[in-house]
Amino acid sequence: QQPVQSPQAVILREGEDAVINCSSSKALYSVHWYRQKHGEAPVFLMILLKGGEQKGHDKISASFNEKKQQSSLYLTASQLSYSGTYFCGTELWNTGNQFYFGTGTSLTVIP
Amino acid sequence: NAGVTQTPKFRVLKTGQSMTLLCAQDMNHEYMYWYRQDPGMGLRLIHYSVGEGTTAKGEVPDGYNVSRLKKQNFLLGLESAAPSQTSVYFCASSPGTGGIDEQFFGPGTRLTVL
C-alpha cells in the first residue's frame, strides 16, 4: 500500500530545478506532499485531490495523474532552504481514513 | 496556540517495560494520528482516531494500544516494549478527514528500547 517515491536522493545547486515522483499501485483519492528537515517534524506543502483541486504552497507546484495513480512535485529555482526529505502521502479509495506515506526523497541544495 | 505537543521528547525503556506517550492539540481538530518513523521506511500509521471516543488500526498496530477519551488528547501505549519498537513517534492532527486536509505534526518522541 505504501507509495513508491523516486529518486531516493538528489543533489542540486542553487537555482536548479528538481522533480520528485510518487506512484501507487492502488487507486488514489488524494496525494499530500510534506517536507521534513533533519530532526524536525514533517511540514505540509500541498494536497492534490482527485478531480484536480489543489491546496497548498505558492512557490511549489505539483501534478496528479489520476489514471496512472502518480503525482509529481516540481521544485523550481531551488534555494538552500529547500533541502530536506520530501514525503508523499496518499489516501486510497475505499480504505476509510488509512493514510500511507512514501519512503521519502532526500533533497540537498548546495551553493 | 501551541499546536500539537508530545510528551515526553525522549525515553529509554528496557524490554518488557510499559509506557504511555501523550499527544495534545489545541486546534479543536477531529482527526488524530500516531505514526512511527524508522530509517528508510518513511512514516507508518500505527493507529488513528476520527473523533472523541473512537480509534482505529493503521498499517502497523501490533504491540500498541490507543485511547481518545478527550477530543484534544490522543494516547499511545506500549504494554510490553520490545527492541523493534525503537523509533521516532510522531503524532498528527487534522481538522477533517486526513485525505483532504493537511496534517499538523507534533515535534516527535524518540524512544529507545534496550
mmCIF file of all heavy atoms in Angstrom, chain A residues 2 29-30 32 34 36 39-44 47 49 55 87 91 95-103, chain B residues 31 33 35 37 40-45 48 50 57-59 90 97-103 105-107:
data_model
loop_
_atom_site.group_PDB
_atom_site.id
_atom_site.type_symbol
_atom_site.label_atom_id
_atom_site.label_comp_id
_atom_site.label_asym_id
_atom_site.label_seq_id
_atom_site.Cartn_x
_atom_site.Cartn_y
_atom_site.Cartn_z
ATOM 1 N N GLN A 2 2.116 1.114 0.442
ATOM 2 C CA GLN A 2 2.976 2.284 0.546
ATOM 3 C C GLN A 2 3.357 2.785 -0.846
ATOM 4 O O GLN A 2 3.807 2.006 -1.691
ATOM 5 C CB GLN A 2 4.242 1.912 1.332
ATOM 6 C CG GLN A 2 5.086 3.080 1.762
ATOM 7 C CD GLN A 2 6.249 2.653 2.660
ATOM 8 O OE1 GLN A 2 6.758 1.545 2.562
ATOM 9 N NE2 GLN A 2 6.650 3.536 3.553
ATOM 10 N N TYR A 29 -7.250 8.589 -3.730
ATOM 11 C CA TYR A 29 -8.254 9.630 -3.524
ATOM 12 C C TYR A 29 -7.573 10.998 -3.445
ATOM 13 O O TYR A 29 -8.106 11.989 -3.925
ATOM 14 C CB TYR A 29 -9.006 9.339 -2.234
ATOM 15 C CG TYR A 29 -9.992 10.394 -1.843
ATOM 16 C CD1 TYR A 29 -11.175 10.564 -2.546
ATOM 17 C CD2 TYR A 29 -9.743 11.235 -0.762
ATOM 18 C CE1 TYR A 29 -12.087 11.546 -2.191
ATOM 19 C CE2 TYR A 29 -10.641 12.219 -0.405
ATOM 20 C CZ TYR A 29 -11.808 12.357 -1.122
ATOM 21 O OH TYR A 29 -12.695 13.331 -0.771
ATOM 22 N N SER A 30 -6.408 11.024 -2.827
ATOM 23 C CA SER A 30 -5.680 12.277 -2.714
ATOM 24 C C SER A 30 -4.195 11.996 -2.537
ATOM 25 O O SER A 30 -3.802 10.891 -2.161
ATOM 26 C CB SER A 30 -6.179 13.093 -1.517
ATOM 27 O OG SER A 30 -5.848 12.447 -0.303
ATOM 28 N N HIS A 32 -0.767 13.947 -0.763
ATOM 29 C CA HIS A 32 -0.192 15.038 0.023
ATOM 30 C C HIS A 32 1.313 15.076 -0.219
ATOM 31 O O HIS A 32 1.933 14.050 -0.497
ATOM 32 C CB HIS A 32 -0.369 14.802 1.528
ATOM 33 C CG HIS A 32 -1.762 14.810 2.020
ATOM 34 N ND1 HIS A 32 -2.094 15.293 3.267
ATOM 35 C CD2 HIS A 32 -2.928 14.407 1.464
ATOM 36 C CE1 HIS A 32 -3.386 15.178 3.472
ATOM 37 N NE2 HIS A 32 -3.916 14.641 2.390
ATOM 38 N N TYR A 34 4.808 16.580 1.888
ATOM 39 C CA TYR A 34 5.358 17.157 3.112
ATOM 40 C C TYR A 34 6.878 17.232 2.974
ATOM 41 O O TYR A 34 7.492 16.432 2.253
ATOM 42 C CB TYR A 34 5.028 16.290 4.335
ATOM 43 C CG TYR A 34 3.567 16.303 4.714
ATOM 44 C CD1 TYR A 34 2.651 15.512 4.027
ATOM 45 C CD2 TYR A 34 3.099 17.111 5.745
ATOM 46 C CE1 TYR A 34 1.311 15.533 4.361
ATOM 47 C CE2 TYR A 34 1.756 17.136 6.084
ATOM 48 C CZ TYR A 34 0.878 16.349 5.381
ATOM 49 O OH TYR A 34 -0.451 16.366 5.712
ATOM 50 N N GLN A 36 10.412 17.422 5.429
ATOM 51 C CA GLN A 36 10.933 17.233 6.782
ATOM 52 C C GLN A 36 12.419 17.566 6.805
ATOM 53 O O GLN A 36 13.200 16.979 6.058
ATOM 54 C CB GLN A 36 10.713 15.794 7.247
ATOM 55 C CG GLN A 36 11.128 15.532 8.682
ATOM 56 C CD GLN A 36 10.876 14.100 9.107
ATOM 57 O OE1 GLN A 36 10.934 13.177 8.302
ATOM 58 N NE2 GLN A 36 10.584 13.891 10.393
ATOM 59 N N GLY A 39 15.755 16.091 12.085
ATOM 60 C CA GLY A 39 15.450 16.285 13.497
ATOM 61 C C GLY A 39 14.162 17.046 13.767
ATOM 62 O O GLY A 39 13.866 17.343 14.927
ATOM 63 N N GLU A 40 13.414 17.349 12.709
ATOM 64 C CA GLU A 40 12.184 18.107 12.894
ATOM 65 C C GLU A 40 10.972 17.301 12.436
ATOM 66 O O GLU A 40 11.093 16.218 11.875
ATOM 67 C CB GLU A 40 12.262 19.413 12.118
ATOM 68 C CG GLU A 40 13.380 20.323 12.577
ATOM 69 C CD GLU A 40 13.429 21.624 11.792
ATOM 70 O OE1 GLU A 40 12.520 21.867 10.959
ATOM 71 O OE2 GLU A 40 14.377 22.403 12.011
ATOM 72 N N ALA A 41 9.799 17.856 12.657
ATOM 73 C CA ALA A 41 8.564 17.212 12.228
ATOM 74 C C ALA A 41 8.295 17.523 10.755
ATOM 75 O O ALA A 41 8.746 18.549 10.235
ATOM 76 C CB ALA A 41 7.398 17.711 13.076
ATOM 77 N N PRO A 42 7.554 16.667 10.079
ATOM 78 C CA PRO A 42 7.149 16.973 8.695
ATOM 79 C C PRO A 42 6.263 18.217 8.670
ATOM 80 O O PRO A 42 5.468 18.462 9.574
ATOM 81 C CB PRO A 42 6.350 15.731 8.277
ATOM 82 C CG PRO A 42 6.804 14.655 9.193
ATOM 83 C CD PRO A 42 7.110 15.335 10.495
ATOM 84 N N VAL A 43 6.407 18.983 7.581
ATOM 85 C CA VAL A 43 5.613 20.196 7.398
ATOM 86 C C VAL A 43 4.860 20.094 6.076
ATOM 87 O O VAL A 43 5.432 19.723 5.049
ATOM 88 C CB VAL A 43 6.529 21.441 7.396
ATOM 89 C CG1 VAL A 43 5.723 22.695 7.053
ATOM 90 C CG2 VAL A 43 7.198 21.602 8.748
ATOM 91 N N PHE A 44 3.605 20.451 6.124
ATOM 92 C CA PHE A 44 2.723 20.358 4.957
ATOM 93 C C PHE A 44 3.163 21.282 3.831
ATOM 94 O O PHE A 44 3.537 22.435 4.065
ATOM 95 C CB PHE A 44 1.306 20.726 5.397
ATOM 96 C CG PHE A 44 0.330 20.925 4.283
ATOM 97 C CD1 PHE A 44 -0.218 19.845 3.636
ATOM 98 C CD2 PHE A 44 -0.032 22.202 3.888
ATOM 99 C CE1 PHE A 44 -1.131 20.027 2.612
ATOM 100 C CE2 PHE A 44 -0.938 22.398 2.871
ATOM 101 C CZ PHE A 44 -1.493 21.315 2.226
ATOM 102 N N ILE A 47 -1.732 19.585 -1.071
ATOM 103 C CA ILE A 47 -2.650 18.461 -1.269
ATOM 104 C C ILE A 47 -3.187 18.530 -2.686
ATOM 105 O O ILE A 47 -3.556 19.610 -3.156
ATOM 106 C CB ILE A 47 -3.850 18.518 -0.299
ATOM 107 C CG1 ILE A 47 -3.409 18.286 1.137
ATOM 108 C CG2 ILE A 47 -4.899 17.473 -0.670
ATOM 109 C CD1 ILE A 47 -4.540 18.431 2.128
ATOM 110 N N LEU A 49 -6.190 16.691 -4.983
ATOM 111 C CA LEU A 49 -7.365 15.836 -4.861
ATOM 112 C C LEU A 49 -7.787 15.304 -6.210
ATOM 113 O O LEU A 49 -7.584 15.951 -7.245
ATOM 114 C CB LEU A 49 -8.530 16.626 -4.252
ATOM 115 C CG LEU A 49 -8.287 17.225 -2.878
ATOM 116 C CD1 LEU A 49 -9.462 18.091 -2.462
ATOM 117 C CD2 LEU A 49 -8.071 16.120 -1.859
ATOM 118 N N LYS A 55 -4.573 22.315 -2.938
ATOM 119 C CA LYS A 55 -4.455 23.238 -1.822
ATOM 120 C C LYS A 55 -2.987 23.269 -1.463
ATOM 121 O O LYS A 55 -2.384 22.208 -1.299
ATOM 122 C CB LYS A 55 -5.218 22.744 -0.596
ATOM 123 C CG LYS A 55 -6.680 22.470 -0.773
ATOM 124 C CD LYS A 55 -7.258 22.018 0.562
ATOM 125 C CE LYS A 55 -8.680 21.546 0.424
ATOM 126 N NZ LYS A 55 -9.222 21.100 1.736
ATOM 127 N N PHE A 87 8.259 13.815 1.439
ATOM 128 C CA PHE A 87 7.406 12.634 1.503
ATOM 129 C C PHE A 87 6.093 12.901 0.782
ATOM 130 O O PHE A 87 5.491 13.972 0.952
ATOM 131 C CB PHE A 87 7.057 12.276 2.955
ATOM 132 C CG PHE A 87 8.213 11.812 3.776
ATOM 133 C CD1 PHE A 87 8.888 12.690 4.618
ATOM 134 C CD2 PHE A 87 8.644 10.498 3.723
ATOM 135 C CE1 PHE A 87 9.958 12.273 5.392
ATOM 136 C CE2 PHE A 87 9.716 10.064 4.495
ATOM 137 C CZ PHE A 87 10.372 10.957 5.321
ATOM 138 N N GLU A 91 -4.077 8.827 0.398
ATOM 139 C CA GLU A 91 -5.259 8.158 0.920
ATOM 140 C C GLU A 91 -5.879 7.403 -0.242
ATOM 141 O O GLU A 91 -6.083 7.965 -1.314
ATOM 142 C CB GLU A 91 -6.258 9.155 1.503
ATOM 143 C CG GLU A 91 -7.504 8.450 2.058
ATOM 144 C CD GLU A 91 -8.388 9.367 2.885
ATOM 145 O OE1 GLU A 91 -7.873 10.081 3.744
ATOM 146 O OE2 GLU A 91 -9.610 9.347 2.656
ATOM 147 N N THR A 95 -10.672 2.829 1.689
ATOM 148 C CA THR A 95 -9.913 2.324 2.828
ATOM 149 C C THR A 95 -10.213 3.140 4.069
ATOM 150 O O THR A 95 -9.424 3.164 5.013
ATOM 151 C CB THR A 95 -8.398 2.358 2.548
ATOM 152 O OG1 THR A 95 -8.004 3.706 2.308
ATOM 153 C CG2 THR A 95 -8.029 1.471 1.391
ATOM 154 N N GLY A 96 -11.334 3.822 4.070
ATOM 155 C CA GLY A 96 -11.654 4.647 5.220
ATOM 156 C C GLY A 96 -10.681 5.795 5.290
ATOM 157 O O GLY A 96 -10.522 6.524 4.334
ATOM 158 N N ASN A 97 -10.022 5.921 6.431
ATOM 159 C CA ASN A 97 -9.090 7.041 6.582
ATOM 160 C C ASN A 97 -7.643 6.573 6.683
ATOM 161 O O ASN A 97 -6.806 7.274 7.236
ATOM 162 C CB ASN A 97 -9.470 7.836 7.836
ATOM 163 C CG ASN A 97 -10.885 8.368 7.748
ATOM 164 O OD1 ASN A 97 -11.786 7.843 8.386
ATOM 165 N ND2 ASN A 97 -11.085 9.363 6.926
ATOM 166 N N GLN A 98 -7.358 5.407 6.134
ATOM 167 C CA GLN A 98 -5.986 4.927 6.142
ATOM 168 C C GLN A 98 -5.112 5.864 5.319
ATOM 169 O O GLN A 98 -5.497 6.288 4.239
ATOM 170 C CB GLN A 98 -5.913 3.524 5.527
ATOM 171 C CG GLN A 98 -6.515 2.458 6.405
ATOM 172 C CD GLN A 98 -5.540 1.935 7.437
ATOM 173 O OE1 GLN A 98 -4.434 2.454 7.572
ATOM 174 N NE2 GLN A 98 -5.950 0.921 8.182
ATOM 175 N N PHE A 99 -3.964 6.153 5.838
ATOM 176 C CA PHE A 99 -3.070 7.092 5.178
ATOM 177 C C PHE A 99 -1.690 6.462 5.095
ATOM 178 O O PHE A 99 -1.179 5.932 6.078
ATOM 179 C CB PHE A 99 -3.025 8.394 5.977
ATOM 180 C CG PHE A 99 -2.567 9.567 5.180
ATOM 181 C CD1 PHE A 99 -3.419 10.205 4.306
ATOM 182 C CD2 PHE A 99 -1.267 10.028 5.299
ATOM 183 C CE1 PHE A 99 -3.001 11.290 3.567
ATOM 184 C CE2 PHE A 99 -0.837 11.112 4.562
ATOM 185 C CZ PHE A 99 -1.704 11.747 3.688
ATOM 186 N N TYR A 100 -1.077 6.520 3.901
ATOM 187 C CA TYR A 100 0.210 5.873 3.676
ATOM 188 C C TYR A 100 1.215 6.885 3.156
ATOM 189 O O TYR A 100 0.953 7.588 2.170
ATOM 190 C CB TYR A 100 0.060 4.744 2.651
ATOM 191 C CG TYR A 100 -0.890 3.658 3.075
ATOM 192 C CD1 TYR A 100 -2.237 3.732 2.741
ATOM 193 C CD2 TYR A 100 -0.446 2.564 3.813
ATOM 194 C CE1 TYR A 100 -3.119 2.747 3.139
ATOM 195 C CE2 TYR A 100 -1.326 1.571 4.208
ATOM 196 C CZ TYR A 100 -2.658 1.669 3.871
ATOM 197 O OH TYR A 100 -3.528 0.691 4.268
ATOM 198 N N PHE A 101 2.372 6.935 3.796
ATOM 199 C CA PHE A 101 3.456 7.790 3.335
ATOM 200 C C PHE A 101 4.459 6.979 2.525
ATOM 201 O O PHE A 101 4.672 5.790 2.778
ATOM 202 C CB PHE A 101 4.195 8.420 4.515
ATOM 203 C CG PHE A 101 3.512 9.635 5.087
ATOM 204 C CD1 PHE A 101 2.688 9.535 6.178
ATOM 205 C CD2 PHE A 101 3.725 10.891 4.519
ATOM 206 C CE1 PHE A 101 2.057 10.662 6.707
ATOM 207 C CE2 PHE A 101 3.110 12.018 5.045
ATOM 208 C CZ PHE A 101 2.269 11.894 6.129
ATOM 209 N N GLY A 102 5.091 7.647 1.561
ATOM 210 C CA GLY A 102 6.184 7.039 0.833
ATOM 211 C C GLY A 102 7.454 7.017 1.675
ATOM 212 O O GLY A 102 7.475 7.555 2.792
ATOM 213 N N THR A 103 8.506 6.427 1.139
ATOM 214 C CA THR A 103 9.747 6.275 1.903
ATOM 215 C C THR A 103 10.625 7.515 1.861
ATOM 216 O O THR A 103 11.635 7.566 2.541
ATOM 217 C CB THR A 103 10.548 5.062 1.409
ATOM 218 O OG1 THR A 103 10.724 5.190 0.007
ATOM 219 C CG2 THR A 103 9.815 3.769 1.717
ATOM 220 N N TYR B 31 -9.561 14.770 13.791
ATOM 221 C CA TYR B 31 -8.748 13.618 13.447
ATOM 222 C C TYR B 31 -7.380 13.696 14.112
ATOM 223 O O TYR B 31 -6.743 14.752 14.107
ATOM 224 C CB TYR B 31 -8.559 13.541 11.930
ATOM 225 C CG TYR B 31 -9.792 13.105 11.177
ATOM 226 C CD1 TYR B 31 -10.918 13.924 11.110
ATOM 227 C CD2 TYR B 31 -9.830 11.878 10.533
ATOM 228 C CE1 TYR B 31 -12.043 13.524 10.423
ATOM 229 C CE2 TYR B 31 -10.958 11.470 9.838
ATOM 230 C CZ TYR B 31 -12.067 12.295 9.791
ATOM 231 O OH TYR B 31 -13.184 11.896 9.104
ATOM 232 N N TYR B 33 -3.635 11.172 14.725
ATOM 233 C CA TYR B 33 -2.894 10.033 14.188
ATOM 234 C C TYR B 33 -1.628 9.795 15.012
ATOM 235 O O TYR B 33 -1.021 10.733 15.508
ATOM 236 C CB TYR B 33 -2.444 10.319 12.746
ATOM 237 C CG TYR B 33 -3.540 10.783 11.817
ATOM 238 C CD1 TYR B 33 -3.931 12.114 11.778
ATOM 239 C CD2 TYR B 33 -4.168 9.883 10.962
ATOM 240 C CE1 TYR B 33 -4.933 12.540 10.924
ATOM 241 C CE2 TYR B 33 -5.166 10.301 10.104
ATOM 242 C CZ TYR B 33 -5.551 11.631 10.093
ATOM 243 O OH TYR B 33 -6.540 12.039 9.238
ATOM 244 N N TYR B 35 2.089 7.970 14.222
ATOM 245 C CA TYR B 35 2.990 7.371 13.238
ATOM 246 C C TYR B 35 4.286 6.980 13.929
ATOM 247 O O TYR B 35 4.682 7.576 14.918
ATOM 248 C CB TYR B 35 3.354 8.376 12.140
ATOM 249 C CG TYR B 35 2.220 8.816 11.250
ATOM 250 C CD1 TYR B 35 1.492 9.972 11.534
ATOM 251 C CD2 TYR B 35 1.897 8.107 10.102
ATOM 252 C CE1 TYR B 35 0.462 10.389 10.709
ATOM 253 C CE2 TYR B 35 0.874 8.529 9.265
ATOM 254 C CZ TYR B 35 0.162 9.672 9.577
ATOM 255 O OH TYR B 35 -0.841 10.091 8.744
ATOM 256 N N GLN B 37 8.436 6.474 12.721
ATOM 257 C CA GLN B 37 9.355 6.741 11.627
ATOM 258 C C GLN B 37 10.660 6.015 11.888
ATOM 259 O O GLN B 37 11.333 6.252 12.887
ATOM 260 C CB GLN B 37 9.601 8.236 11.455
ATOM 261 C CG GLN B 37 10.457 8.555 10.239
ATOM 262 C CD GLN B 37 10.553 10.031 9.943
ATOM 263 O OE1 GLN B 37 10.585 10.864 10.844
ATOM 264 N NE2 GLN B 37 10.580 10.384 8.660
ATOM 265 N N GLY B 40 14.747 4.851 6.449
ATOM 266 C CA GLY B 40 14.466 4.171 5.187
ATOM 267 C C GLY B 40 13.039 3.679 5.017
ATOM 268 O O GLY B 40 12.686 3.138 3.974
ATOM 269 N N MET B 41 12.213 3.878 6.056
ATOM 270 C CA MET B 41 10.837 3.351 5.992
ATOM 271 C C MET B 41 9.796 4.456 5.862
ATOM 272 O O MET B 41 8.620 4.182 5.693
ATOM 273 C CB MET B 41 10.539 2.524 7.240
ATOM 274 C CG MET B 41 11.440 1.337 7.426
ATOM 275 S SD MET B 41 11.162 0.098 6.158
ATOM 276 C CE MET B 41 9.520 -0.459 6.605
ATOM 277 N N GLY B 42 10.195 5.676 5.990
ATOM 278 C CA GLY B 42 9.199 6.741 5.970
ATOM 279 C C GLY B 42 8.357 6.708 7.231
ATOM 280 O O GLY B 42 8.756 6.178 8.262
ATOM 281 N N LEU B 43 7.173 7.290 7.153
ATOM 282 C CA LEU B 43 6.235 7.323 8.271
ATOM 283 C C LEU B 43 5.185 6.242 8.069
ATOM 284 O O LEU B 43 4.614 6.126 6.983
ATOM 285 C CB LEU B 43 5.540 8.696 8.330
ATOM 286 C CG LEU B 43 6.436 9.859 8.703
ATOM 287 C CD1 LEU B 43 6.126 11.064 7.848
ATOM 288 C CD2 LEU B 43 6.253 10.199 10.166
ATOM 289 N N ARG B 44 4.928 5.463 9.114
ATOM 290 C CA ARG B 44 3.910 4.417 9.011
ATOM 291 C C ARG B 44 2.848 4.642 10.080
ATOM 292 O O ARG B 44 3.171 4.864 11.250
ATOM 293 C CB ARG B 44 4.554 3.039 9.149
ATOM 294 C CG ARG B 44 5.446 2.663 7.967
ATOM 295 C CD ARG B 44 6.029 1.265 8.128
ATOM 296 N NE ARG B 44 6.978 1.197 9.223
ATOM 297 C CZ ARG B 44 7.476 0.065 9.715
ATOM 298 N NH1 ARG B 44 7.077 -1.092 9.218
ATOM 299 N NH2 ARG B 44 8.344 0.097 10.709
ATOM 300 N N LEU B 45 1.601 4.528 9.663
ATOM 301 C CA LEU B 45 0.473 4.797 10.548
ATOM 302 C C LEU B 45 0.256 3.647 11.522
ATOM 303 O O LEU B 45 0.119 2.492 11.115
ATOM 304 C CB LEU B 45 -0.785 5.026 9.703
ATOM 305 C CG LEU B 45 -2.059 5.408 10.425
ATOM 306 C CD1 LEU B 45 -1.897 6.749 11.144
ATOM 307 C CD2 LEU B 45 -3.224 5.467 9.441
ATOM 308 N N TYR B 48 -5.247 5.544 14.501
ATOM 309 C CA TYR B 48 -5.773 6.883 14.293
ATOM 310 C C TYR B 48 -7.151 6.980 14.935
ATOM 311 O O TYR B 48 -7.744 5.963 15.352
ATOM 312 C CB TYR B 48 -5.823 7.254 12.806
ATOM 313 C CG TYR B 48 -6.728 6.385 11.951
ATOM 314 C CD1 TYR B 48 -8.013 6.793 11.633
ATOM 315 C CD2 TYR B 48 -6.275 5.174 11.453
ATOM 316 C CE1 TYR B 48 -8.832 6.012 10.841
ATOM 317 C CE2 TYR B 48 -7.087 4.374 10.662
ATOM 318 C CZ TYR B 48 -8.351 4.791 10.358
ATOM 319 O OH TYR B 48 -9.174 4.011 9.571
ATOM 320 N N VAL B 50 -10.965 9.260 14.545
ATOM 321 C CA VAL B 50 -11.757 10.204 13.744
ATOM 322 C C VAL B 50 -12.651 11.068 14.628
ATOM 323 O O VAL B 50 -13.488 11.823 14.117
ATOM 324 C CB VAL B 50 -12.587 9.486 12.664
ATOM 325 C CG1 VAL B 50 -11.674 8.686 11.756
ATOM 326 C CG2 VAL B 50 -13.640 8.580 13.284
ATOM 327 N N LYS B 57 -7.316 0.926 13.742
ATOM 328 C CA LYS B 57 -5.972 0.440 13.461
ATOM 329 C C LYS B 57 -5.451 0.999 12.154
ATOM 330 O O LYS B 57 -6.186 1.132 11.181
ATOM 331 C CB LYS B 57 -5.980 -1.092 13.401
ATOM 332 C CG LYS B 57 -6.294 -1.763 14.715
ATOM 333 C CD LYS B 57 -6.279 -3.278 14.571
ATOM 334 C CE LYS B 57 -6.597 -3.943 15.901
ATOM 335 N NZ LYS B 57 -6.593 -5.424 15.783
ATOM 336 N N GLY B 58 -4.166 1.262 12.155
ATOM 337 C CA GLY B 58 -3.494 1.687 10.947
ATOM 338 C C GLY B 58 -2.722 0.545 10.324
ATOM 339 O O GLY B 58 -3.107 -0.619 10.432
ATOM 340 N N GLU B 59 -1.609 0.869 9.725
ATOM 341 C CA GLU B 59 -0.816 -0.103 8.987
ATOM 342 C C GLU B 59 -0.017 -1.036 9.892
ATOM 343 O O GLU B 59 0.166 -2.208 9.587
ATOM 344 C CB GLU B 59 0.133 0.659 8.056
ATOM 345 C CG GLU B 59 0.957 -0.189 7.126
ATOM 346 C CD GLU B 59 1.923 0.642 6.293
ATOM 347 O OE1 GLU B 59 1.965 1.890 6.455
ATOM 348 O OE2 GLU B 59 2.655 0.055 5.479
ATOM 349 N N PHE B 90 5.637 10.117 15.915
ATOM 350 C CA PHE B 90 5.029 11.416 15.630
ATOM 351 C C PHE B 90 3.521 11.312 15.777
ATOM 352 O O PHE B 90 2.892 10.365 15.303
ATOM 353 C CB PHE B 90 5.341 11.880 14.206
ATOM 354 C CG PHE B 90 6.742 12.372 14.019
ATOM 355 C CD1 PHE B 90 7.702 11.564 13.436
ATOM 356 C CD2 PHE B 90 7.094 13.657 14.416
ATOM 357 C CE1 PHE B 90 9.001 12.026 13.256
ATOM 358 C CE2 PHE B 90 8.385 14.127 14.239
ATOM 359 C CZ PHE B 90 9.333 13.304 13.663
ATOM 360 N N THR B 97 -11.137 14.866 7.487
ATOM 361 C CA THR B 97 -10.527 13.622 7.062
ATOM 362 C C THR B 97 -9.129 13.877 6.515
ATOM 363 O O THR B 97 -8.916 14.804 5.741
ATOM 364 C CB THR B 97 -11.389 12.917 6.001
ATOM 365 O OG1 THR B 97 -10.682 11.776 5.515
ATOM 366 C CG2 THR B 97 -11.708 13.833 4.843
ATOM 367 N N GLY B 98 -8.191 13.041 6.915
ATOM 368 C CA GLY B 98 -6.791 13.247 6.558
ATOM 369 C C GLY B 98 -6.531 13.269 5.083
ATOM 370 O O GLY B 98 -5.508 13.755 4.623
ATOM 371 N N GLY B 99 -7.458 12.731 4.310
ATOM 372 C CA GLY B 99 -7.252 12.710 2.875
ATOM 373 C C GLY B 99 -7.359 14.076 2.236
ATOM 374 O O GLY B 99 -6.703 14.360 1.241
ATOM 375 N N ILE B 100 -8.181 14.951 2.818
ATOM 376 C CA ILE B 100 -8.401 16.233 2.149
ATOM 377 C C ILE B 100 -7.954 17.424 2.972
ATOM 378 O O ILE B 100 -8.081 18.553 2.527
ATOM 379 C CB ILE B 100 -9.884 16.408 1.770
ATOM 380 C CG1 ILE B 100 -10.768 16.406 3.015
ATOM 381 C CG2 ILE B 100 -10.307 15.341 0.793
ATOM 382 C CD1 ILE B 100 -12.197 16.777 2.732
ATOM 383 N N ASP B 101 -7.441 17.191 4.163
ATOM 384 C CA ASP B 101 -6.959 18.280 5.000
ATOM 385 C C ASP B 101 -5.526 18.020 5.397
ATOM 386 O O ASP B 101 -5.141 16.872 5.624
ATOM 387 C CB ASP B 101 -7.805 18.423 6.264
ATOM 388 C CG ASP B 101 -9.066 19.219 6.022
ATOM 389 O OD1 ASP B 101 -8.999 20.204 5.262
ATOM 390 O OD2 ASP B 101 -10.103 18.860 6.581
ATOM 391 N N GLU B 102 -4.754 19.093 5.532
ATOM 392 C CA GLU B 102 -3.373 18.914 5.923
ATOM 393 C C GLU B 102 -3.294 18.371 7.333
ATOM 394 O O GLU B 102 -4.173 18.610 8.159
ATOM 395 C CB GLU B 102 -2.606 20.234 5.821
ATOM 396 C CG GLU B 102 -2.983 21.265 6.861
ATOM 397 C CD GLU B 102 -2.066 22.470 6.808
ATOM 398 O OE1 GLU B 102 -0.952 22.377 7.355
ATOM 399 O OE2 GLU B 102 -2.489 23.500 6.251
ATOM 400 N N GLN B 103 -2.232 17.640 7.585
ATOM 401 C CA GLN B 103 -1.968 17.130 8.914
ATOM 402 C C GLN B 103 -0.908 18.003 9.573
ATOM 403 O O GLN B 103 0.091 18.362 8.956
ATOM 404 C CB GLN B 103 -1.495 15.673 8.831
ATOM 405 C CG GLN B 103 -2.581 14.745 8.289
ATOM 406 C CD GLN B 103 -2.158 13.294 8.255
ATOM 407 O OE1 GLN B 103 -1.400 12.829 9.106
ATOM 408 N NE2 GLN B 103 -2.649 12.559 7.284
ATOM 409 N N PHE B 105 1.816 18.171 12.506
ATOM 410 C CA PHE B 105 2.598 17.209 13.264
ATOM 411 C C PHE B 105 3.160 17.803 14.548
ATOM 412 O O PHE B 105 3.516 18.983 14.606
ATOM 413 C CB PHE B 105 3.765 16.689 12.415
ATOM 414 C CG PHE B 105 3.352 15.684 11.390
ATOM 415 C CD1 PHE B 105 2.822 16.078 10.177
ATOM 416 C CD2 PHE B 105 3.476 14.329 11.653
ATOM 417 C CE1 PHE B 105 2.432 15.145 9.230
ATOM 418 C CE2 PHE B 105 3.091 13.383 10.712
ATOM 419 C CZ PHE B 105 2.567 13.787 9.504
ATOM 420 N N GLY B 106 3.265 16.948 15.561
ATOM 421 C CA GLY B 106 3.980 17.311 16.769
ATOM 422 C C GLY B 106 5.476 17.151 16.550
ATOM 423 O O GLY B 106 5.913 16.668 15.511
ATOM 424 N N PRO B 107 6.295 17.530 17.560
ATOM 425 C CA PRO B 107 7.751 17.520 17.408
ATOM 426 C C PRO B 107 8.382 16.143 17.470
ATOM 427 O O PRO B 107 9.561 15.994 17.134
ATOM 428 C CB PRO B 107 8.231 18.385 18.574
ATOM 429 C CG PRO B 107 7.159 18.233 19.608
ATOM 430 C CD PRO B 107 5.878 18.094 18.854
#
